[in-house]
Structures are given as C-alpha cells and as structure tokens.
Amino acid sequence: MDYMEPMETKINFKSGEIFPCDNKIVRKLSEMKNMFSDKAAYEKELSLKDRIVYEVFERKVPHQTGQLVHSTTVIYPGKVSNEYYMTKGHFHEIEDRSELYFCLNGEGYVVMQTKEGEFSSIRMTAGVVAYIPPYWAHRTINTGKDKFVFFTVYPADAGHNYGAIEKTGFPNLVVEKDGQPTIVNNSGWQKE
C-alpha cells in the first residue's frame, strides 16, 4: 500500500496565512457578480475599484474519499450598499458531505440554507466552531471592522457547487441596519 506522508501546517491566526501554502485563491469584487442583492450598488463599487473581497489559503491533499482538505479563509471588511462582504457560498457537489468552520479572528456569520429554503445562521467570533451538516449550502460574511479569519475542514471529495447559489441566492441577507448586523429576508431569493 502507498501511504501518504503525515504533514504539519502552521497558521497565523491574525493574518489567516498558512505555512506551507499549496494554493492561494483570491476573489475580487469582479468575481462576485450576482452575489450582492443591490445590483446598481455593486456596479458602482466595482467601477471605483476592483477590491479583494476574500482569500483562501489551502493545503493540497488528494481529492479522494478519506482525505480532509484544510484551509483558511480571510474575508476583508467592506460592504456593497448595506450588505457586508461575503464568500460566494456553495453546496457541496457530493451533497452528503459536512464541513467545520473555526473562527480564529474577527467576527461574522455563517449562513446556511437547504434547497427547500430552510435557513440557519451562526454568529462567529474567535473560538466559535460552526458545524455545517450535509445538504446545507453555506456562506460566510464579515460583519466587523477587521479581517474575519476562519479555519475550515471538509472531505476532499466534496467539491463545490457555486452555480446553484449564483442562480438562486440565499433566502436571507446579512445587512447593516442602524449600525448593527441584521438578518433580513431576501426579496430576490427564488427556490430552485
């Protein structure tokens, strides 16, 4: 049998960088089309500057059953209109796969939904672990003034289905209202 060698990963809790980093993904505002509810505000923000919304730092493992991907995500502070910066959000391609998020720095939310529109959210601050069960789409949102940094672990064969979220959105949004993060209904959400 060919065994994979055990490995060590170091994490900078404040910056979110991991060492060694095998893959870095940078998502700019231009790659977030159809993610924010106010399309006109999105286009205006994009015309001013194509800012970095979030970054992902990954360790590579074989994408097969039994392996665990582990990575960090850093969401920068910012808003489009009153809607906070967020990740694109996704279902897993193999839908019965779960995921763990462990907040290292900053604050935000992980929002989740089923295909039928059932919604749940967990407020994330340093030390909080969110368990995302199978069949739930998930997205993270930075509601603070600093970087929102979290560590993720999920089965390597899970895959990411971003298309469903690009098409339907989430049934609820996290927006700033009276200076506070507030969860509101998304009038543009449509059941798949």
Side-chain angles (χ1 to χ4, degrees), residues 3-161:
Y3 290 102
M4 181 180 162
E5 288 291 318
M7 63 181 171
E8 173 184 271
T9 304
K10 294 184 180 179
I11 303 171
N12 180 318
F13 284 23
K14 189 152 179 74
S15 74
E17 294 177 272
I18 62 174
F19 308 95
C21 178
D22 300 318
N23 186 39
K24 180 180 175 183
I25 299 165
V26 177
R27 294 262 192 245
K28 291 189 165 189
L29 197 55
S30 58
E31 298 171 87
M32 300 292 288
K33 189 172 177 76
N34 299 323
M35 296 295 129
F36 294 94
S37 62
D38 187 333
K39 307 301 182 210
Y42 168 79
E43 292 298 334
K44 182 179 177 185
E45 283 291 321
L46 186 56
S47 73
L48 298 174
K49 187 172 182 184
D50 192 12
R51 299 180 193 283
I52 295 174
V53 176
Y54 68 99
E55 298 174 306
V56 179
F57 301 89
E58 294 180 325
R59 287 301 310 268
K60 285 199 175 185
V61 297
H63 285 239
Q64 61 192 36
T65 303
Q67 299 287 346
L68 293 173
V69 172
H70 56 286
S71 63
T72 54
T73 300
V74 178
I75 307 173
Y76 288 85
K79 289 183 294 217
V80 171
S81 184
N82 65 343
E83 195 172 359
Y84 295 99
Y85 277 9
M86 64 184 119
T87 59
K88 289 179 103 173
H90 62 273
F91 285 96
H92 286 149
E93 288 176 342
I94 301 177
E95 294 179 350
D96 68 355
R97 300 302 192 251
S98 56
E99 191 161 355
L100 283 177
Y101 287 176
F102 175 44
C103 182
L104 306 176
N105 190 64
E107 61 185 272
Y109 281 84
V110 57
V111 295
M112 296 158 279
Q113 74 168 39
T114 64
K115 286 185 176 177
E116 295 76 27
E118 188 175 340
F119 178 83
S120 185
S121 68
I122 297 173
R123 185 168 183 277
M124 302 291 288
T125 56
V128 173
V129 176
Y131 175 71
I132 300 149
Y135 304 102
W136 287 78
H138 38 287
R139 162 183 283 164
T140 43
I141 300 150
N142 183 347
T143 59
K145 296 185 186 332
D146 297 318
K147 293 177 183 177
F148 174 33
V149 180
F150 58 97
F151 177 71
T152 66
V153 179
Y154 61 92
D157 64 349
H160 298 87
N161 173 1

